[in-house]
């Protein structure tokens, strides 16, 4: 229902499917290398607290149809 990964090859593959993707970025620019779908999210874990990361992932998870 949801794919969560760092900036890796599997993240790019997941973004090319219908599965919503949460990508964690720090060293590279998500505007250039981030996931492609409108429902995908790119987050920098050093820029927001873990609770906010978890909250954003849960919000995306809830929007995914089962």
């Amino acid at each position: 229902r949801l794919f969560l990964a760092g900036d890796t090859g599997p993240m790019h593959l997941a973004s090319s499917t219908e599965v919503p993707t949460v990508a964690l970025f720090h060293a590279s620019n998500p505007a250039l290398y981030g996931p492609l779908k409108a429902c995908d999210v790119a987050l920098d874990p050093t820029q927001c607290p873990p609770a906010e990361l978890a909250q954003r992932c849960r919000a995306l998870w809830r929007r995914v149809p089962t």
Side-chain angles (χ1 to χ4, degrees):
R1 289 184 39 186
L2 180 76
F3 189 83
L4 172 65
D7 179 20
T8 62
M11 180 278 298
H12 294 284
L13 291 172
S15 184
S16 69
T17 69
E18 294 182 13
V19 176
T21 303
V22 177
L24 303 177
F25 280 81
H26 178 62
S28 57
N29 183 348
L32 295 174
Y33 306 111
L36 302 173
K37 296 186 306 293
C39 67
D40 293 345
V41 178
L43 303 171
D44 183 343
T46 64
Q47 299 299 313
C48 58
E52 183 180 334
L53 286 173
Q55 181 181 29
R56 292 183 71 182
C57 289
R58 276 193 301 272
L60 181 59
W61 179 275
R62 287 187 194 116
R63 291 192 310 246
V64 176
T66 55

